[in-house]
Amino acid sequence: MTVKKKDTETKAGRRNFLGGVIASGATAVMAPTLAGAAEPAASGPAKAKTMPPSAKTAASETAIPPDMGHSAGVPGSDFMVDVIKSVDIKYLPSNCASSFRAIHESLINYGGNTKPEFLTCMHEESAVAMAHGYFKIAGKPLITLCHGTVGLQHATMGVYNAWCDRVPLIILGGNDMDAAHRPPGVPTFHAAQDINAIVRDYTKWDDTPVSLQHFSQSFVRAYKIAMTPPYGPVAISLDAGLQQEPVKEHGEKLYIPRYVPTSPPQGDTGAVKEAARLLANATNPVIVVDRAARTPEGIPLLVQLAELLQAKVFDQGGRMNFPKTHYLSSGPAAIPGADVIIGMELSDFWGTVNAFTDNAENGGIGANSTKIKPGTKLISISSVDLNTKSNYQDFQRYQVIDVPMAADAQATLPALIEAVRSAIPNSAKDAIAKRGEAAKKSYAEVKLRARQEAAVGWDASPISTARVVMETYAQIKDLDWSLVAAESPGFNWPQRLWPMEKYHHWLGRSGGYGVGYGSPAAIGAALANRDLGRFSVSFQPDGDLMYAPGVLWTAAKHKIPLLSVMINNRGYHQEVMHVQRLSNFRNRKVNLGGDMGPVGTSIMNPDIEYHKLAESMGWWAKGPIKDPAQLASAIKEAVAVVKSGQPALLNVWTQPR
Amino acid sequence: MTSIRFIAPMALAIILASNGAFAASAEEGKTAYVKNGCWGCHGFVGQGGSAGPKLAPDPKPLDFMAAFIRHTNGTMPPYSEKILSVEDLASIHAYLRSIPKSADAKSIPLLN
């Protein structure tokens, strides 16, 4: 029996399903051919070799099996694997758990542990952050399985980061829902009425399927929602019973809906025209971007718009939006002189045009001030306007915008570019050219200043962060490098000093500033880069690494090459400064308790030997390196190790910032 | 201070006359600089960075520094006399003055 394909769905009755398995050997059974999706499921889920028709299976075709136990017939979780395979997901980072043992077993045995390949993780937060980093290189989401309660509780911070960073990922949470039949004791502690409740405030969508057909619709729907801008995480609760039970004997016609990507929302024509009119007639237009380049194709579009207007671009760095080597590349200094500002996919428009000073004013809550001239016109294109939730405050302070567009910036750029082109009056062309000349001059000055500032403290020990960054660059500059994470707050030497041009040169940060993102996200991105033959490097803060260092083992286990250069300032440095600040505000001498930073903020006495930690989990590692003169040779060695396919870590003692 | 033992008495006299008091207070200043958290925002050698500007080499005059530190109301938190004594402030300034000039960016191959 063969499976009949319809335009939008593939039908497979229970009999078709089994018949396909038996008759078609290695051919695809359940997975429909996907128009628009990257690749159809490789060799099909139903490999005769991995699931030979046992006597029991064959008997179940023709008769009611005498044993109606859970292991009879085709497991429901095999069908779930067919569904997952239909959208071509390459990896599944996960920490194993009993509530999804059935789909786990199906994935690795029935599904052959490919597409997705199970990656063994030691913490759910690591699994989620790996998926987060992976997406930013591959442009494809990963899936993770987690225990619905305790596992999802571990995963939550990673999910929040992905939410704030507009990154799609698919969480399948195991949950044993049937209170009358689930095993008592631990599995019952780990069960809940509604596991998704804990992530509902920071996922785009979630569901709790109660049948296999429900699962297949929900899964494809979840994938589609996650991949429609604004991207975001989605969650599906997987009932343990549903996974474990066999596909029903009679009458159920299971099918897998075809995934067809939804086109992203584009700005309204009238609003685009008005924005173009303002920009074309501005004396000093400024473009501000955060996550405007959703894919590599976004970069040349932004270059086109900037060059058309000869407008400075302030790239806030949520993604690699604009080449750092372009003379129109600028910083926040461009804001005060602007008369028209267009912000694209900004996470904080208020913070872009206003300043907050964390001082003792206003009863100790700090002072606010505007950065812009009165009358400055503000334009916004943001897809996140379509997806605002109430509880978590990632929408930031309210900013009045003159031309707000609830739309995807990258999808709107072609129309905006055309509209600007036709709106520029001939009389403005000279002034626009002059603007470009002035920008070239200030760009050269800014670059020179960055180099001068980097030189100060060049020979210091602990080593200056600028020196670590440039010693690293010297060893990788001829490779196809990708800076996959650099999480220390305020650490911006790579942006100031490296010639970042390509989308994979910089991936942005965590999104929600949840610490612990750096190491797993770097490893997830390095996995994607490995498959593309690129060299991955990260600057790894000490505090960030210690949230879930088990991810180092995952990298070694799965042979994910990454050069991790530590920015080890031996403390939670942001908090070192916060507590110092508060002590001063309150006129109290700060209590250091024998460390360098205020009590509770230092990571010293004893110092953590990160190189030994990494070595113990299968990494090549060296340290602590305190003398800048030793840095070049150590990095060179580490680069050679990474090129051979292994991860390598350098424990470098650095200046605080 | 062990190295002083090896310096000829004549030379020692000259050092003490010109630099001795200053050298001692620069050393104390380094301790005070760390104990009072200046390093946290300005770096151990006053090189500056994303959390605070460069203070050394060539620090601004002591008068300026004192006035700034006591009364600033910007991103840097002010230090009253209660938490940072006049003496510590002076020795911090001495420490900042003792920091040698760094190489020019043009002479550092990695920055060119």
Side-chain angles (χ1 to χ4, degrees), chain A residues 211-434:
Chain A
S211 70
L212 290 173
Q213 192 55 66
H214 186 172
F215 172 82
S216 88
Q217 291 186 10
S218 289
F219 185 85
V220 178
R221 189 194 300 273
Y223 188 90
K224 190 176 169 75
I225 289 172
M227 286 297 286
T228 302
Y231 300 143
V234 290
I236 292 182
S237 166
L238 267 193
D239 179 37
L242 192 62
Q243 296 170 53
Q244 225 158 292
E245 281 163 16
V247 175
K248 282 200 192 78
E249 271 301 307
H250 303 295
E252 193 174 23
K253 299 246 181 271
L254 294 177
Y255 66 89
I256 304 169
R258 187 158 61 99
Y259 165 63
V260 183
T262 304
S263 56
Q266 195 181 315
D268 162 76
T269 317
V272 168
K273 237 178 163 172
E274 175 60 6
R277 188 188 67 78
L278 287 171
L279 288 165
N281 292 288
T283 310
N284 197 10
V286 169
I287 300 167
V288 188
V289 283
D290 195 4
R291 294 187 182 84
R294 197 169 25 76
T295 70
E297 289 69 42
I299 298 179
L301 288 171
L302 283 163
V303 170
Q304 262 188 66
L305 179 68
E307 288 182 350
L308 203 51
L309 291 161
Q310 293 297 320
K312 286 188 179 177
V313 179
F314 168 22
D315 186 345
Q316 297 180 324
R319 293 291 183 280
M320 180 71 209
N321 295 290
F322 196 76
K324 293 284 174 207
T325 48
H326 196 291
Y327 65 91
L328 290 169
S329 167
S330 177
I335 298 292
D339 58 345
V340 175
I341 297 173
I342 179 165
M344 290 187 240
E345 305 290 351
L346 304 193
S347 49
D348 185 3
F349 213 128
W350 186 93
T352 302
V353 295
N354 294 282
F356 168 73
T357 307
D358 185 9
N359 60 14
E361 286 200 357
N362 299 321
I365 58 164
N368 304 315
S369 55
T370 179
K371 284 189 199 165
I372 51 173
K373 303 182 288 198
T376 302
K377 294 282 182 211
L378 304 181
I379 304 161
S380 168
I381 312 179
S382 172
S383 58
V384 180
D385 286 358
L386 297 163
N387 193 33
T388 310
K389 294 203 183 189
S390 308
N391 192 9
Y392 290 84
Q393 305 288 302
D394 57 295
F395 42 75
Q396 298 288 336
R397 288 202 202 173
Y398 188 76
Q399 176 61 49
V400 176
I401 304 285
D402 299 287
V403 186
M405 281 176 255
D408 178 66
Q410 186 170 321
T412 307
L413 269 166
L416 181 65
I417 290 165
E418 280 322 302
V420 167
R421 207 189 299 282
S422 33
I424 292 175
N426 272 336
S427 57
K429 292 199 168 139
D430 273 0
I432 290 176
K434 277 204 188 110

Side-chain angles (χ1 to χ4, degrees), chain A residues 575-590:
Chain A
E575 279 55 48
V576 169
M577 297 187 291
H578 272 307
V579 181
Q580 178 72 54
R581 180 171 275 130
L582 263 285
S583 303
N584 288 23
F585 288 167
R586 292 167 178 180
N587 206 17
R588 293 199 272 242
K589 185 117 188 149
V590 68

Side-chain angles (χ1 to χ4, degrees), chain A residues 4 24 33 104 136 151 160 171 230 292 326 348 415 547 591 597 608 618 630:
Chain A
K4 291 183 193 107
S24 66
T33 306
H104 185 161
K136 291 204 263 185
Y160 185 62
I171 306 152
H326 196 291
D348 185 3
Y547 278 86
N591 180 357
I608 298 175
Q630 290 173 358

